[in-house]
Each structure stands twice: as C-alpha cells, then as structure tokens.
C-alpha cells in the first residue's frame, strides 16, 4: 500500500470544547505523519496555546492532509490539503 502521488500523508484530529451557545474552540490536536509508503514518521501533539500561525507539518502539493470532523450530531467530512477553503483558524490563529 502506498500514499499514491504524495510524498507524505498527514492524518490529523482535533478535540474541541464549547460552552452552550458558543462556537467550538480547539482544545488539542494530534497528527500522524506518514511517508509515501504509509510508514509512521512522527507524531505531533499540540494543546491550546501551542498552536502557531502555520500548521506544524507540511501542507504543500506533495502532502495529503486527511482529517475527520464530526458535525454535531451526525456527519463526517474529509478534507484534502486544505482545499475546502478553510485555512483561517479557530481561536484567533490561522491554524487549525
């Protein structure tokens, strides 16, 4: 099995929290960076306050970024390389 036309695959997941009636804010992020053969290269864990203005992994054209987002109460959305137009960040930053 391989990552196809990509040199790197990043599988990313976020946990959010929100008070009643408020927008969800990211609490933490975990990302698993894989090479073109889908072998694990590194794991990244960030907590609120550690998010920078850019992702902590490559998001260039040779990287496939895969994330699952569960919209309450149902639904799954898969994003490829940020092409959903969602590059501005929640919580005041540019990332996530």
């Amino acid at each position: 099995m391989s990552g196809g036309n990509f040199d790197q695959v990043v599988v990313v997941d976020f946990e959010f929290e929100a008070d009643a009636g408020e927008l969800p804010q990211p609490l933490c992020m975990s990302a698993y960076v894989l090479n073109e053969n889908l072998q694990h290269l590194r794991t990244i864990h960030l907590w609120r306050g550690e998010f920078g203005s850019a992702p902590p992994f490559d998001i260039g054209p040779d990287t496939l970024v895969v994330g699952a987002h569960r919209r309450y109460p149902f639904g799954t959305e898969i994003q490829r390389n940020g092409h959903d137009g969602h590059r501005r960040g929640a919580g005041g930053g540019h990332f996530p």
Side-chain angles (χ1 to χ4, degrees), residues 1 3 5 32-33 52 61 93:
M1 180 171 279
N5 296 325
Y32 300 95
V33 182

Side-chain angles (χ1 to χ4, degrees), residues 2-70:
S2 82
N5 296 325
F6 298 99
D7 294 334
Q8 186 169 266
V9 176
V10 180
V11 180
V12 63
D13 187 34
F14 290 89
E15 293 296 326
F16 295 88
E17 65 180 1
D19 292 329
E22 297 293 323
L23 292 175
Q25 297 295 313
L27 178 63
C28 61
M29 179 215 68
S30 292
Y32 300 95
V33 182
L34 311 171
N35 67 15
E36 67 275 3
N37 297 314
L38 303 180
Q39 297 170 321
H40 180 260
L41 296 176
R42 66 187 175 119
T43 301
I44 303 166
H45 298 290
L46 295 177
W47 288 92
R48 178 180 291 148
E50 297 176 333
F51 296 119
S53 61
F57 46 79
D58 183 31
I59 59 168
D62 295 328
T63 300
L64 173 66
V65 178
V66 179
H69 172 70
R70 289 178 292 148

